[in-house]
Amino acid sequence: MAIKRRKFLFTSALSAILSVAVAACAGGGGTADSGARRLVMATSADYPPYQFVDSSGGTQEIVGFDIEIAQHITGELGYELEIQNIDFNSLIPALQANRADFVMAGMTPTEERQQNVDFSQIYYEARNTIVSRQGSGLTTPESLAGKSVGVQLGSTQEQAARDLEGLDIKPLNRINEMIQELKAGRIEAIIMEDTVAAGFLASNPDLEAHDIPNMGEAGSAIAFPRGSELREEFNPVLQEMIDSGMMDELVTKWFGDDSPAADELAN
């Protein structure tokens, strides 16, 4: 009898372990529904100060403005947070394929994107800027006609560039790739967000930037799969961060001249 009982207990324990393992390995987008308190956030960690890889401490930690917001919201709601770093143009497909529970990547809730995913309220708004080599004379949208212009693939800046006439548009996956192409002379200008440009200009004095009016939709919001209940959970915490002044504090921390992002880019 004792042998049979031990065999029964061992079998029951093994079944329980396997059940937990299966639940934990269920697709990224199903983490909340499976009962686990873990959410997967997808981002493109090449967009300082929103999110970037900090290697200053000998590690490859993803940090930034969006990361702190995500950490605060998930902490307040009792979730654990897992961050996945993928290309920007793969973020919305990741939500649609349930490989992520939400996306934060300085993403603007454009009309086209809203047809595929749901968005939180806007939590920050910046401006677009033209980045070029010093003395290029490329200071306005009109001056870009006939020029090769880099944009991040899938970004609102790509759409803004396509709305202008006569540009030779060069979409690239990563911001640092565009900076390298510009410095090598393979493109003549970049359209990017001013706050992101500021960090790169701090470590590249041979470049200059000129702000241009936002063309169309603007602002950053959190993206969710269509119909996700997380949006209704996240929005009140996001609003509380704005009302309490915490969002302003994070803006000052990450977008100021002495921000951690500026320090990282200067190294």
Side-chain angles (χ1 to χ4, degrees):
M1 292 292 293
I3 294 175
K4 290 183 178 180
R5 178 172 175 79
R6 283 197 297 270
K7 183 177 180 182
F8 172 79
L9 291 174
F10 173 80
T11 303
S12 299
L14 181 60
S15 298
I17 291 170
L18 290 173
S19 297
V20 171
V22 170
C25 292
T31 54
D33 293 336
S34 68
R37 302 293 289 179
R38 176 178 62 90
L39 296 181
V40 175
M41 167 184 157
T43 191
S44 181
D46 66 330
Y47 207 56
Y50 289 91
Q51 54 275 322
F52 59 99
V53 178
D54 179 11
S55 56
S56 60
T59 62
Q60 296 292 309
E61 182 182 7
I62 299 176
V63 300
F65 178 59
D66 279 347
I67 305 304
E68 281 211 43
I69 294 173
Q71 289 171 337
H72 178 79
I73 293 175
T74 54
E76 286 292 300
L77 295 174
Y79 292 108
E80 294 180 2
L81 178 63
E82 176 185 331
I83 300 173
Q84 292 184 354
N85 182 17
I86 60 179
D87 286 342
F88 188 85
N89 64 317
S90 298
L91 292 173
I92 286 181
L95 288 179
Q96 293 175 309
N98 290 322
R99 294 194 302 271
D101 295 292
F102 67 101
V103 160
M104 290 189 73
M107 182 174 283
T108 299
T110 64
E111 183 176 348
E112 180 181 357
R113 289 172 181 158
Q114 289 182 57
Q115 295 175 8
N116 298 299
V117 297
D118 291 337
F119 282 95
S120 71
Q121 66 187 84
I122 289 175
Y123 57 85
Y124 183 73
E125 184 171 344
R127 295 172 62 87
N128 287 334
T129 191
I130 298 170
V131 177
S132 62
R133 292 184 295 277
Q134 285 279 0
S136 67
L138 303 179
T139 60
T140 65
E142 292 74 21
S143 68
L144 297 177
K147 307 297 183 183
S148 56
V149 180
V151 290
Q152 186 171 41
L153 186 64
S155 68
T156 55
Q157 287 76 31
E158 180 184 9
Q159 185 57 54
R162 295 192 184 283
D163 289 340
L164 300 174
E165 294 185 2
L167 275 62
D168 180 15
I169 300 171
K170 304 293 186 182
L172 294 165
N173 278 321
R174 298 279 177 174
I175 299 293
N176 56 356
E177 293 176 15
M178 294 193 292
I179 295 293
Q180 291 168 5
E181 292 292 288
L182 178 61
K183 291 173 70 71
R186 288 188 286 269
I187 59 176
E188 296 167 273
I190 301 170
I191 296 178
M192 60 195 301
E193 196 169 292
D194 60 348
T195 51
V196 177
F200 284 100
L201 263 63
S203 55
N204 294 278
D206 55 329
L207 304 181
E208 63 181 18
H210 297 274
D211 287 346
I212 56 178
N214 284 333
M215 297 163 278
E217 300 99 335
S220 298
I222 306 170
F224 304 94
R226 292 299 297 267
S228 172
E229 296 180 359
L230 288 175
R231 181 173 66 168
E232 301 307 317
E233 293 186 48
F234 276 44
N235 266 337
V237 184
L238 203 54
Q239 186 61 52
E240 192 276 332
M241 294 178 72
I242 295 170
D243 294 341
S244 68
M246 182 178 181
M247 191 67 72
D248 288 336
E249 293 175 3
L250 291 178
V251 168
T252 299
K253 173 181 177 179
W254 288 103
F255 294 89
D257 292 336
D258 57 348
S259 69
D263 292 342
E264 172 68 14
L265 287 168
N267 291 333

